[in-house]
């Protein structure tokens, strides 16, 4: 099976898993991260297939999205073998997807992993990132903002995570994109508090 056919199969698998997600971790998030990972991989001279495949699957088994994350990861591994990913490809894809999460506080070991982490972080900032923040907050019954208790509000998430991401990008390609998106978020917050 050619790598484009493998990516099509992975895309279909992810669509079936995430198409109804309302937390901001939906199919379209995966699609944007995969597209960005492919672009950055091309610019950085990395393995495009590994980066794109890992980007598609990077949220499978995430504990905040799945009650039985180990089972989801096992099913994903079986699926990747059924589409003729070699053991080496499987290991590279898993390695690239393993340490993407901000909450883990890790920098991936592989170039492809760094690219997927950057692509995921880019989708967390800018206009889309703002929309996803409020979608996730609403799904978890968070307040938008509270003057008396900032903890566990959607706007506090900008300060806890999103405004830090620009300086945590691994690749020069991502750092350039992050500047504009970061600036947009700063302007948004200025306007938010002006209206608040």
């Amino acid at each position: 099976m050619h790598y484009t056919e493998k990516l099509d199969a992975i895309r279909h698998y992810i669509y079936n898993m995430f198409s109804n997600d309302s937390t901001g971790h939906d199919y379209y998030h995966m699609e944007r991260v995969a597209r960005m990972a492919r672009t950055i991989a091309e610019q950085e001279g990395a393995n495009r297939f590994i980066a794109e495949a890992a980007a598609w699957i990077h949220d499978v088994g995430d504990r905040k999205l799945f009650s039985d994350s180990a089972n989801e990861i096992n099913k994903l591994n079986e699926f990747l073998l059924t589409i003729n990913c070699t053991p080496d490809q499987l290991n590279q894809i898993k390695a690239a997807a393993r340490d993407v999460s901000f909450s883990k506080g890790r920098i991936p070991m592989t170039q492809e992993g760094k690219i997927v982490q950057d692509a995921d972080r880019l989708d967390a900032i800018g206009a889309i990132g703002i929309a996803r923040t409020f979608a996730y907050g609403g799904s978890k019954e968070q307040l938008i903002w509270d003057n008396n208790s900032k903890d566990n509000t959607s706007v506090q998430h900008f300060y806890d995570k999103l405004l830090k991401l620009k300086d945590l990008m691994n690749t020069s390609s991502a750092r350039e994109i992050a500047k504009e998106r970061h600036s947009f978020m700063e302007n948004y917050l200025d306007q938010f508090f002006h209206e608040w």
Side-chain angles (χ1 to χ4, degrees):
M1 187 180 283
H2 190 265
Y3 82 89
T4 55
E5 293 173 296
K6 291 178 186 180
L7 289 171
D8 283 343
I10 293 169
R11 180 181 54 78
H12 185 72
Y13 182 88
I14 294 302
Y15 179 83
N16 289 334
M17 183 174 287
F18 289 100
S19 62
N20 292 318
D21 177 273
S22 61
T23 70
H25 299 82
D26 57 7
Y27 168 79
Y28 296 106
H29 164 63
M30 308 306 163
E31 182 179 57
R32 288 188 304 272
V33 174
R35 187 172 59 233
M36 183 63 71
R38 179 179 64 231
T39 299
I40 296 172
E42 288 168 353
Q43 293 170 348
E44 299 287 331
N47 184 315
R48 181 186 143 184
F49 170 68
I50 298 301
E52 190 172 350
W56 275 112
I57 60 104
H58 77 277
D59 276 336
V60 174
D62 188 321
R63 285 190 176 87
K64 69 180 175 284
L65 304 174
F66 296 93
S67 57
D68 188 353
S69 57
N71 184 48
E72 293 301 329
I73 291 169
N74 288 336
K75 289 195 299 191
L76 173 67
N77 291 339
E78 290 171 15
F79 163 75
L80 291 172
L81 292 173
T82 67
I83 62 167
N84 298 320
C85 283
T86 66
D88 186 49
Q89 286 175 330
L90 182 61
N91 289 335
Q92 289 182 61
I93 292 167
K94 286 165 53 177
R98 182 179 306 122
D99 293 324
V100 169
S101 172
F102 177 82
S103 62
K104 290 181 181 175
R106 298 185 191 136
I107 297 172
M109 300 292 289
T110 68
Q111 184 181 23
E112 291 75 19
K114 290 174 182 174
I115 287 167
V116 175
Q117 187 176 67
D118 282 356
D120 186 44
R121 288 176 171 180
L122 285 170
D123 206 57
I125 61 177
I128 295 285
I130 291 168
R132 291 182 61 224
T133 297
F134 291 112
Y136 185 79
S139 76
K140 299 299 181 186
E141 299 183 3
Q142 287 180 344
L143 295 176
I144 293 173
W145 178 245
D146 183 339
N147 288 337
N148 301 311
S149 176
K150 300 171 179 110
D151 292 341
N152 205 32
T153 67
S154 292
V155 170
Q156 185 58 37
H157 186 65
F158 285 84
Y159 299 98
D160 293 342
K161 176 182 175 182
L162 306 186
L163 292 171
K164 297 175 181 178
L165 294 179
K166 173 178 71 77
D167 296 326
L168 297 175
M169 296 295 166
N170 300 297
T171 64
S172 57
S173 303
R175 282 191 288 275
E176 281 305 306
I177 297 166
K179 287 177 190 173
E180 179 185 358
R181 296 185 184 194
H182 181 87
S183 177
F184 184 87
M185 288 193 305
E186 290 180 321
N187 292 336
Y188 172 80
L189 288 169
D190 287 344
Q191 183 67 21
F192 176 89
F193 286 114
H194 172 72
E195 293 180 18
W196 189 269

